[in-house]
């Protein structure tokens, strides 16, 4: 793996964002809007706390963490789509760039996006609702890291599908992640799901992170078990999805799709 | 003694389902040689170039460049190869200069700023170096993709209709530049064009493709004489009409 090729792609995307207000707005607009809407829902529910269970205070933390996962996935998929829209895929794949370097660059891009969004969301939550995400404590960092990796897994999977099926699969860049939201148990505990769905949710690393977050906030207990599950599942799925990406690149080269997808 | 070829394609074949795009094509390019690849639309020129660039995997046959097998030495080979085509683009929101800087990084070029400056001067791109790529005319865009190809100082260059959208003055300048580069650095070029006069002027040898097969090979003069035609354009028309009738 060569650092200069990875930084080439990073610089390419940073050039893009430096000059494009809509792209910068896209990073911040939805998280901010989410935060405003859900923030007020939280306030409303908190005001009627006697009728509503106490876990409504988890909403803001859950929302911020969910958005980190979402931006992480978007960082990967949108970086690929930018190349596709620019008809630049041929230039990249006919260069010495390796698929691993391409993925590393998009993952680095996704970390930058998540960092920017996290600062804005955490700052806004503090300013508007006096909500401090740091109450999660030292567990926050491992939670975030695991959510970012889950975002990568969904992002690489989605990118592979777009590469394989072309621009008509573009909509997956925005919709795929929401398929995982119900089984990520973002705003409710896993136990509210039907038993059969709980089994599926247990295989989702994000569900363990959100369960862990609730464990910390409600009981102040250690979420080590949840974290261990999330790390193991993320490890397994990341290896699987990267292998799937390599397989897709090979399939696309065999069927001439890599050239056609960028046309 | 014959120079060792920088590129050797052997029995190159590509099938897409039942359709055979390239059928057992073998050829070589020697150091400093300009090889013209001619053929009507659908003859297999683009698929051949895409296989040489590692974008499409051959169904059968092999590609060796600089004595290395492309299937096992992709990175080393592509570091020394580049291409330009009227059919590709570059990120539209980046300026000409930014796009070239990204390419320079991608290929690990040291002294990037100087090299980018040099190539901008060489291709007369100074007046639009700070323009975003989406604002370029098609001629300027062609020059940018050529600049991208020259920037990395490749040993082999694949040029797919490099002068198609250029005005005659710039086209002449590009042809001159290609000849100079070939003279100075021993650059080898695989060249496609639908401009037969240009092909005659530029190519040391020509390969004619028809329905994925090589149907003629030699210098422009040899091919013209072999088929008893007045010029290369007449030979081209003969093959194009035959291909159309067959399909």
């Amino acid at each position: 793996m060569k650092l200069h090729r990875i930084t080439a792609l990073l610089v390419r995307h940073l050039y893009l964002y430096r000059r494009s207000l809509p792209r910068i707005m896209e990073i911040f607009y939805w998280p901010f809007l989410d935060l405003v809407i859900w923030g007020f829902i939280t306030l409303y529910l908190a005001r009627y706390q006697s009728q509503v269970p106490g876990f409504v205070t988890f909403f803001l933390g859950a929302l911020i963490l969910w958005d980190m996962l979402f931006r992480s996935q978007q960082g990967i998929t949108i970086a690929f789509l930018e190349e596709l829209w620019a008809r630049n895929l041929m230039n990249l794949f006919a260069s010495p760039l390796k698929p691993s370097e391409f993925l590393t660059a998009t993952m680095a891009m996704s970390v930058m996006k998540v960092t920017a969004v996290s600062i804005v969301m955490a700052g806004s939550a503090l300013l508007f609702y006096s909500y401090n995400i740091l109450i999660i404590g030292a567990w926050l960092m491992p939670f975030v890291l695991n959510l970012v990796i889950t975002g990568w897994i969904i992002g690489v999977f989605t990118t592979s599908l777009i590469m394989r099926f072309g621009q008509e699969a573009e909509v997956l860049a925005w919709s795929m992640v929401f398929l995982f939201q119900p089984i990520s148990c973002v705003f409710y505990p896993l136990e509210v799901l039907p038993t059969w769905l709980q089994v599926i949710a247990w295989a989702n690393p994000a569900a363990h992170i959100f369960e862990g977050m609730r464990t910390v906030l409600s009981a102040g207990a250690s979420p080590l078990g949840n974290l261990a599950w999330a790390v193991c599942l993320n490890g397994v799925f990341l290896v699987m999805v990267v292998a799937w990406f390599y397989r897709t690149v090979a399939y696309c080269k065999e069927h001439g799709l890599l050239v056609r997808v960028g046309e | 003694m014959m120079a060792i070829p920088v590129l050797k394609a052997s029995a190159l074949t590509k099938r897409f389902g039942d359709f055979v795009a390239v059928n057992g094509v073998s050829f070589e390019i020697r150091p400093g040689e300009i090889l013209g690849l001619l053929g009507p639309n659908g003859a297999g020129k683009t698929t051949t170039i895409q296989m040489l660039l590692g974008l499409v995997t051959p169904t059968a046959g092999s590609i060796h460049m600089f004595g290395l097998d492309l299937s096992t030495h992709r990175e080393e080979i592509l570091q020394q190869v580049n291409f330009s085509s009227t059919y590709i683009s570059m990120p539209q929101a980046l300026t000409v200069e930014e796009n070239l800087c990204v390419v320079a990084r991608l290929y690990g070029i040291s002294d990037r700023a100087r090299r980018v400056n040099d190539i901008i001067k060489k291709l007369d791109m100074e007046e639009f170096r700070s323009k975003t790529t989406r604002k370029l005319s098609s001629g300027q865009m062609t020059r940018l993709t050529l600049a991208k190809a020259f920037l990395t100082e490749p040993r082999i260059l694949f040029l797919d209709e490099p002068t198609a959208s250029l005005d005659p003055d710039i086209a002449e300048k590009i042809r001159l530049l290609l000849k100079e580069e070939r003279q100075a650095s021993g650059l080898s070029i695989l060249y496609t064009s639908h401009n037969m006069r240009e092909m005659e002027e530029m190519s040391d040898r020509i390969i004619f493709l028809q329905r994925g097969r090589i149907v003629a090979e030699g210098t422009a003069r040899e091919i013209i004489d072999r088929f008893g035609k007045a010029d290369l354009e007449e030979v081209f028309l003969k093959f194009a009409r035959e291909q159309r009738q067959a399909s």
Side-chain angles (χ1 to χ4, degrees), chain B residues 136-152:
Chain B
L136 301 183
S137 67
S138 59
Q140 289 170 332
M141 186 67 211
T142 304
R143 267 191 280 173
L144 173 59
T145 62
L146 278 166
K148 173 221 80 140
F150 277 119
L151 181 67
T152 62

Side-chain angles (χ1 to χ4, degrees), chain B residues 39-51:
Chain B
N41 293 335
K45 302 185 299 289
T46 303
T47 307
T48 301
I49 291 180
Q50 286 167 352
M51 284 192 280

Side-chain angles (χ1 to χ4, degrees), chain A residues 13-81:
Chain A
H13 286 287
L14 291 177
Y15 279 148
L16 198 66
Y17 279 90
R18 197 173 63 180
R19 182 173 315 111
S20 174
L21 191 64
R23 282 186 174 90
I24 293 169
M25 293 300 291
E26 187 266 335
I27 298 178
F28 299 110
Y29 176 76
W30 289 109
F32 182 74
L33 209 65
D34 278 348
L35 187 83
V36 170
I37 292 165
W38 282 91
F40 285 116
I41 291 172
T42 307
L43 283 184
Y44 169 74
L45 291 172
R47 211 165 286 169
Y48 295 92
Q49 220 167 28
S50 55
Q51 289 106 336
V52 182
F55 59 73
V56 290
T57 49
F58 303 149
F59 277 10
L60 279 176
L63 178 71
I64 293 170
L65 291 183
W66 171 253
D67 234 281
M68 289 179 188
L69 185 154
F70 181 52
R71 295 298 139 184
S72 167
Q73 176 265 328
Q74 291 267 291
I76 303 262
T77 318
I78 299 294
F80 176 78
L81 282 176

Side-chain angles (χ1 to χ4, degrees), chain A residues 19-258:
Chain A
R19 182 173 315 111
S20 174
L21 191 64
R23 282 186 174 90
I24 293 169
M25 293 300 291
E26 187 266 335
I27 298 178
F28 299 110
Y29 176 76
W30 289 109
F32 182 74
L33 209 65
D34 278 348
L35 187 83
V36 170
I37 292 165
W38 282 91
F40 285 116
I41 291 172
T42 307
L43 283 184
Y44 169 74
L45 291 172
R47 211 165 286 169
Y48 295 92
Q49 220 167 28
S50 55
Q51 289 106 336
V52 182
F55 59 73
V56 290
T57 49
F58 303 149
F59 277 10
L60 279 176
L63 178 71
I64 293 170
L65 291 183
W66 171 253
D67 234 281
M68 289 179 188
L69 185 154
F70 181 52
R71 295 298 139 184
S72 167
Q73 176 265 328
Q74 291 267 291
I76 303 262
T77 318
I78 299 294
F80 176 78
L81 282 176
E82 293 279 10
E83 306 299 1
L84 191 143
W85 293 329
R87 291 194 293 138
N88 194 38
L89 283 174
M90 258 180 88
N91 288 323
L92 294 181
F93 285 99
S95 80
L97 184 79
K98 295 179 193 166
S100 58
E101 291 164 342
F102 178 82
L103 282 183
T104 307
T106 56
M107 285 170 182
M109 198 61 213
S110 112
V111 168
M112 287 183 191
K113 276 192 177 181
V114 169
T115 307
V117 166
S118 307
I119 292 168
V120 169
M121 297 244 339
S124 304
L126 196 64
L127 189 69
F128 289 114
Y129 313 113
S130 303
Y131 179 83
N132 187 355
I133 186 77
L134 297 176
I135 57 165
I136 296 174
W139 298 106
L140 181 63
M141 197 43 86
F143 283 170
V144 169
L145 282 176
N146 272 283
L147 287 174
V148 166
I149 294 169
T150 308
W152 288 351
I153 292 166
I154 301 170
V156 174
F157 180 65
T158 311
T159 300
S160 304
L161 289 176
I162 297 171
M163 197 184 276
R164 167 71 183 78
F165 294 104
Q167 276 179 304
E168 65 229 58
E170 237 181 73
V171 68
L172 294 175
W174 289 271
S175 57
M176 177 64 86
V177 72
F178 289 102
L179 201 64
F180 289 84
Q181 198 179 33
I183 54 163
S184 293
C185 304
V186 184
F187 301 111
Y188 41 79
L190 190 124
E191 68 205 32
V192 304
L193 295 177
T195 316
W196 64 270
L197 203 54
Q198 284 186 28
V199 178
I200 297 171
W202 267 104
N204 176 7
H208 293 280
I209 295 301
F210 287 105
E211 282 293 296
M213 184 201 75
R214 278 185 287 271
T215 304
V216 173
L217 291 181
S218 61
S222 161
L224 209 56
N226 295 109
L227 205 54
W229 268 105
V231 169
C232 292
L233 288 168
N234 268 333
V236 170
F237 286 137
L238 189 62
V239 169
M240 283 170 67
V241 86
V242 169
W244 162 263
F245 179 80
Y246 270 77
R247 181 73 202 95
T248 304
V249 171
Y251 179 91
C252 289
K253 283 186 178 184
E254 210 158 293
H255 292 81
L257 299 175
L258 204 56

Side-chain angles (χ1 to χ4, degrees), chain A residues 2 4-5 8 11-12 15-16 18-19 86-88 90-91 93-98 253-255 259, chain B residues 14 16 50 54-57 74-75 78-79 83 87-89 91 93 95 98 102 105-108 148:
Chain A
K2 292 281 192 315
H4 65 81
R5 294 202 283 259
V11 168
R12 173 250 187 280
Y15 279 148
L16 198 66
R18 197 173 63 180
R19 182 173 315 111
R87 291 194 293 138
N88 194 38
M90 258 180 88
N91 288 323
F93 285 99
S95 80
L97 184 79
K98 295 179 193 166
K253 283 186 178 184
E254 210 158 293
H255 292 81
V259 185
Chain B
K14 184 66 201 176
F16 296 109
Q50 286 167 352
L55 292 165
V56 171
T57 311
R74 179 188 168 277
E75 193 188 338
L78 293 181
Q79 182 69 39
F83 78 106
Y87 308 114
I88 58 150
S89 185
T95 66
E98 286 168 349
V102 170
R105 279 179 187 273
L106 201 56
Y107 285 78
K148 173 221 80 140

